[in-house]
Amino acid sequence: MAKVTANTVSRVEQDDMGPRGPQPVTIEAIKRVYQERGIIFLDEGATPNGGRGVRLAE
């Protein structure tokens, strides 16, 4: 749905932000698809342990 390859998703999952890591536009495309389907991304400090996170929209 985000129009990215399986290899690209694999690199995103590895959190490899080096030269072979995903481009910001790719991250935004994947994030947009999740948000359109009810996933909310929480910023740093928004979770009980102070980190980032996700949750389902109500």
Side-chain angles (χ1 to χ4, degrees):
M1 293 179 177
K3 296 183 176 32
V4 297
T5 67
N7 287 340
T8 299
V9 173
S10 179
R11 284 194 301 271
V12 170
E13 289 173 343
Q14 293 171 18
D15 199 25
D16 179 9
M17 299 311 281
R20 292 186 42 88
Q23 298 296 311
V25 68
T26 303
I27 298 292
E28 287 303 313
I30 294 169
K31 186 175 177 179
R32 184 178 57 251
V33 170
Y34 279 111
Q35 288 172 325
E36 289 170 354
R37 280 148 184 81
I39 301 294
I40 297 171
F41 290 85
L42 305 172
D43 293 328
E44 190 78 31
T47 63
N49 69 355
R52 293 176 283 177
V54 297
R55 71 176 180 88
L56 291 174
E58 296 180 16

